[in-house]
Amino acid sequence: MENNEQDFINIINATENNLKHVSLKIPKKQITVFTGVSGSGKSSLCLDTIAAESRRELNVTFPSFVQQFLPKYGRPEVDRMENLPVTIVIDQKKPAANSRSTVGTYTDIYALLRLLFSRVGKPFVGYSDSFSFNHPSGKCERCEGLGVVTELDIHKLVDFDKCLNDEGVIKWPAFTTGAWRWKRYAYSGLFDLNKKIKDYSKEEMDLFLYSPQIRLKNPPDNWPKSAKYEGIYPRMYRSIITSKEG
């Protein structure tokens, strides 16, 4: 079967930068690799000739009002280029590591997939943000959209056979006996400092482990005036686990 001329990008007499009257045909719908030593003209041909002309031709298709906001590309030094498609230049820099980045987000196809899901959903299930793991309306509340859940093993953190006055009752540097986080429990006035954690009543255990941030009604004199009391679980998740502190 004979090749159709439309299946090739035809470049005639390219002299951009260090190119010396280069003419060639590049097949479409195939992977073509340009190799050579530094300064041989690879970038001049691919970026400064093919990509530059493709972007220039694309930009002139827009109205004048739009063109003033687009990047300006000069005409490359080449006699003629034929059958040139729209060119997409991929940055050669290594992407920065980010747990929220995927192949879909790097290529921008993920936004189109979200839009597709929002359009085909019946009954209406929300706008495209509802399908984004980076948006509050779409991400999982449990894993914050990262696909990974960090669980706290309370029995490795707290020694229930010890009381708050014992050294190492809470096994975390900022919670060591006498440290400022330890004082948020010892100085709260809510607990008997010489009572083993395992002997706490249900009300005391709930306060110690699960209480959200609360202002103490009648705090002791050594309790900081602006401080709020918070249980072990919410404090560890809020200030250490989810914030990646320490």
Side-chain angles (χ1 to χ4, degrees), residues 62-232:
F62 293 100
S64 299
F65 176 77
V66 176
Q67 289 185 36
Q68 65 180 322
F69 301 105
L70 298 175
K72 302 298 188 294
Y73 298 100
R75 187 185 298 273
E77 295 294 331
V78 58
D79 285 359
R80 191 166 75 253
M81 298 182 67
E82 299 171 341
N83 310 322
L84 186 62
V86 174
T87 302
I88 300 175
V89 177
I90 300 175
D91 197 332
Q92 298 182 51
K93 294 180 180 179
K94 182 180 179 181
N98 189 322
S99 55
R100 293 192 178 278
S101 296
T102 66
V103 173
T105 56
Y106 279 128
T107 60
D108 288 335
I109 194 175
Y110 183 56
L112 299 176
L113 289 174
R114 296 200 328 260
L115 187 62
L116 173 64
F117 290 147
S118 69
R119 293 294 187 271
V120 300
K122 292 183 180 180
F124 180 71
V125 290
Y127 297 101
S128 58
D129 287 341
S130 301
F131 300 90
S132 172
F133 53 80
N134 290 325
H135 194 277
S137 67
K139 68 182 179 182
C140 168
E141 295 181 1
R142 186 86 170 94
C143 71
E144 293 291 316
L146 296 177
V148 177
V149 175
T150 301
E151 294 283 1
L152 172 62
D153 188 338
I154 195 65
H155 292 283
K156 291 184 179 180
L157 177 66
V158 177
D159 190 337
F160 286 80
D161 290 321
K162 293 183 178 181
C163 62
L164 282 173
N165 269 338
D166 290 335
E167 187 67 37
V169 60
I170 304 176
K171 304 168 188 177
W172 192 265
F175 288 86
T176 56
T177 304
W180 72 274
R181 288 186 189 272
W182 172 86
K183 293 178 181 179
R184 291 294 188 270
Y185 301 93
Y187 292 178
S188 66
L190 299 173
F191 311 105
D192 181 347
L193 303 188
N194 295 308
K195 184 178 181 179
K196 292 182 179 180
I197 306 297
K198 67 179 182 181
D199 294 331
Y200 282 3
S201 66
K202 184 181 185 305
E203 181 182 359
E204 290 173 327
M205 191 67 76
D206 287 343
L207 276 172
F208 181 66
L209 295 180
Y210 307 114
S211 174
Q213 286 189 345
I214 57 173
R215 290 199 178 276
L216 301 179
K217 294 181 179 179
N218 298 300
D221 293 338
N222 55 358
W223 180 260
K225 295 187 182 301
S226 61
K228 293 182 179 180
Y229 175 80
E230 187 175 24
I232 289 285

